[in-house]
Amino acid sequence: MKKLLALCGALALMLAVAAPAAANEKVYIPEHSGEWSFEEPVSYAGGWDFQCTGPVFYGGYGSYDLWLWYENGLTEAQMKPEGRAWPWIKGQGVAKGLDYFSSKPDMGGKVISGKWKVVDHTNRHYLGSPYPTDDLETWQVTTTGKGWGIQAPGYGTVFHVSGIEKGTATVIEQVPGPYDWVEWVIDDRGHRGNETYDIEALCAYFGFEVDD
């Protein structure tokens, strides 16, 4: 669904890792943390796999905070071999916010919304060989929590996703700069939990039908 793809893009597009304050310490990474907001029409043209017979907008706002842990006793040279990414041991990213569907822009008109929160747990960080080679950098990702949760009065749950999702993140590009900016993709190993996508109820709440 569009929301899941948007969320993965927002959380997994770039990773910028700065120097840790000390080894074996939980370090906050501001370069990959922050807040966001967005809004877009729900339409086939916008990349959605459904649309209603009348205007419906989807938007939201939220934040993401990333922490990484590092091995004890590493030297500066060991921490950043050949200008590459830092060999962290594990990480935790917390994403939370609110999503909404509305009949008018800027959360206007009829509105249904719901809060969500997911936690990314990362480990098994493998640096690979110096970029660029085919020996790519990877790490394991486990995401838990509620990634979507919206109810409509009189219709019940219309969009809901919760549970656990696992995958492997693989670096596909590294961009030189003051930090190790890397673009990466997740090889999803499937979702276990609850999922509801009631698009008929969503459109009906706003007085429309699903536009086939």
Side-chain angles (χ1 to χ4, degrees), residues 12-211:
L13 178 62
M14 286 291 198
L15 177 62
V17 182
N24 199 30
E25 185 175 313
K26 182 180 178 180
V27 179
Y28 183 68
I29 309 298
E31 291 79 16
H32 192 53
S33 303
E35 300 180 348
W36 73 85
S37 63
F38 68 94
E39 184 180 79
E40 63 185 32
V42 177
S43 65
Y44 293 124
W48 289 75
D49 53 12
F50 78 94
Q51 65 182 27
C52 303
T53 53
V56 174
F57 297 85
Y58 170 65
Y61 54 85
S63 62
Y64 187 69
D65 294 286
L66 175 66
W67 293 266
L68 296 176
W69 284 256
Y70 297 87
E71 183 180 348
N72 189 26
L74 290 180
T75 66
E76 180 75 11
Q78 290 172 323
M79 284 182 175
K80 199 171 184 182
E82 302 183 41
R84 302 178 58 240
W86 301 81
W88 43 269
I89 298 173
K90 65 177 182 178
Q92 176 179 287
V94 179
K96 58 184 177 180
L98 180 142
D99 290 323
Y100 65 86
F101 290 95
S102 63
S103 60
K104 295 181 179 180
D106 300 322
M107 211 174 180
K110 295 186 70 173
V111 179
I112 51 176
S113 63
K115 294 182 179 181
W116 59 273
K117 180 180 179 179
V118 296
V119 179
D120 294 328
H121 303 275
T122 58
N123 59 16
R124 298 176 63 183
H125 183 203
Y126 172 67
L127 278 177
S129 298
Y131 180 85
T133 71
D134 292 331
D135 186 22
L136 300 176
E137 181 182 358
T138 62
W139 57 87
Q140 301 299 307
V141 181
T142 300
T143 301
T144 58
K146 181 174 70 174
W148 217 343
I150 298 180
Q151 295 186 334
Y155 294 90
T157 301
V158 292
F159 279 67
H160 177 93
V161 176
S162 63
I164 183 171
E165 196 164 5
K166 295 185 177 182
T168 300
T170 302
V171 172
I172 58 176
E173 182 179 5
Q174 182 169 341
V175 181
Y179 302 104
D180 295 320
W181 289 95
V182 296
E183 183 178 358
W184 51 284
V185 294
I186 294 181
D187 175 20
D188 185 12
R189 294 204 297 268
H191 173 266
R192 299 197 308 272
N194 300 316
E195 296 184 63
T196 299
Y197 306 108
D198 194 340
I199 60 176
E200 289 80 8
L202 173 66
C203 292
Y205 175 76
F206 292 104
F208 307 126
E209 296 180 350
V210 178
D211 186 357

